Amino acid sequence: GAGVSQTPSNKVTEKGKYVELRCDPISGHTALYWYRQSLGQGPEFLIYFQGTGAADDSGLPNDRFFAVRPEGSVSTLKIQRTERGDSAVYLCASGPRGNTGELFFGEGSRLTVL
Amino acid sequence: GENVEQHPSTLSVQEGDSAVIKCTYSDSASNYFPWYKQELGKGPQLIIDIRSNVGEKKDQRIAVTLNKTAKHFSLHITETQPEDSAVYFCAARGNTGTASKLTFGTGTRLQVTL
């Protein structure tokens, strides 16, 4: 596609439910990042993939959060037992080179946990 | 890890005036400093970036300066226009291993008034 695509654009769920957020990066980009952005804040790093493997998952807040990228393209961020504090916009970005290239962001998935 | 501070948090200028946003970073190993513009409901979009081997970079009405000794960098927008109104984020990134992620500032909301 022309840009990074994220689905769903909006997700409302109840506390305790399981959520999956999908990111389809720009074709050919090997680097993929997930960020979380709370209202009025800058994006906060969650996890970075280079190809299929998670090169850095130091930003995942706890073991309820997990992400996969099984074929090196589409990635899914999975959140178990959601809490109200998980409410935020989850941004995905991809780049042509892991360490030195520009990152291209999607429009984000807004998650609201009631 | 890297820590990026950004000032001011809000900035209001009249159309045609200049706007300056400043950031400081903590990790002397950081070598890539992008600036992103985020409009309401959209993902961040790169507007300009600078690498550590350059002190200044200009692109039409936008310029960025970098002082590696002091560990600070600034965004300068001249001849501001209403469409420049948005939230601007600075970021910093290293080039190896777990330092490959972008660390963002907290953002500056720029309002250009007529």
Side-chain angles (χ1 to χ4, degrees):
Chain A
V4 177
S5 176
Q6 291 189 246
T7 55
S9 55
N10 276 286
K11 175 71 176 179
V12 180
T13 191
E14 294 180 341
K15 181 174 177 293
K17 298 291 187 183
Y18 170 80
V19 166
E20 287 191 354
L21 306 175
R22 175 189 167 106
C23 173
D24 198 344
I26 293 171
S27 178
H29 281 188
T30 59
L32 186 147
Y33 295 75
W34 283 99
Y35 281 81
R36 178 168 69 175
Q37 187 174 26
S38 300
L39 193 63
Q41 299 296 314
E44 176 190 17
F45 171 78
L46 295 177
I47 187 168
Y48 156 51
F49 288 89
Q50 184 60 256
T52 60
D56 182 359
D57 65 357
S58 62
L60 294 178
N62 51 59
D63 61 6
R64 296 187 298 105
F65 288 75
F66 189 71
V68 296
R69 194 185 185 197
E71 297 178 356
S73 56
V74 170
S75 176
T76 304
L77 179 65
K78 307 180 180 192
I79 310 174
Q80 299 178 320
R81 304 183 303 279
T82 51
E83 300 177 356
R84 292 192 180 90
D86 298 335
S87 296
V89 175
Y90 290 82
L91 294 164
C92 177
S94 70
R97 295 183 301 277
N99 295 334
T100 61
E102 174 184 349
L103 290 189
F104 297 81
F105 281 84
E107 297 201 338
S109 292
R110 179 177 297 279
L111 174 66
T112 303
V113 181
L114 301 177
Chain B
E2 176 67 273
N3 182 50
V4 177
E5 295 190 355
Q6 182 171 348
H7 301 281
S9 57
T10 60
L11 180 59
S12 182
V13 300
Q14 285 197 322
E15 183 180 9
D17 287 351
S18 295
V20 180
I21 303 170
K22 299 182 179 182
C23 289
T24 60
Y25 62 99
S26 62
D27 188 351
S28 57
S30 290
N31 62 0
Y32 175 67
F33 307 92
W35 286 87
Y36 283 83
K37 177 183 181 181
Q38 188 173 30
E39 297 176 335
L40 194 63
K42 304 286 188 182
Q45 182 177 14
L46 180 76
I47 55 171
I48 195 168
D49 57 12
I50 191 168
R51 300 185 188 276
S52 58
N53 58 346
V54 175
E56 184 173 359
K57 184 176 178 181
K58 191 173 183 179
D59 182 4
Q60 298 182 358
R61 297 187 296 109
I62 296 173
V64 58
T65 59
L66 171 65
N67 183 328
K68 282 211 71 178
T69 302
K71 290 190 283 189
H72 66 70
F73 55 115
S74 301
L75 177 71
H76 305 252
I77 306 174
T78 59
E79 301 170 27
T80 53
Q81 301 167 3
E83 51 265 39
D84 294 330
S85 297
V87 179
Y88 291 81
F89 292 98
C90 62
R93 180 168 71 187
N95 66 349
T96 58
T98 58
S100 60
K101 61 182 182 283
L102 281 175
T103 301
F104 284 84
T106 50
T108 297
R109 181 174 298 280
L110 174 64
Q111 180 74 42
V112 180
T113 59
L114 296 173

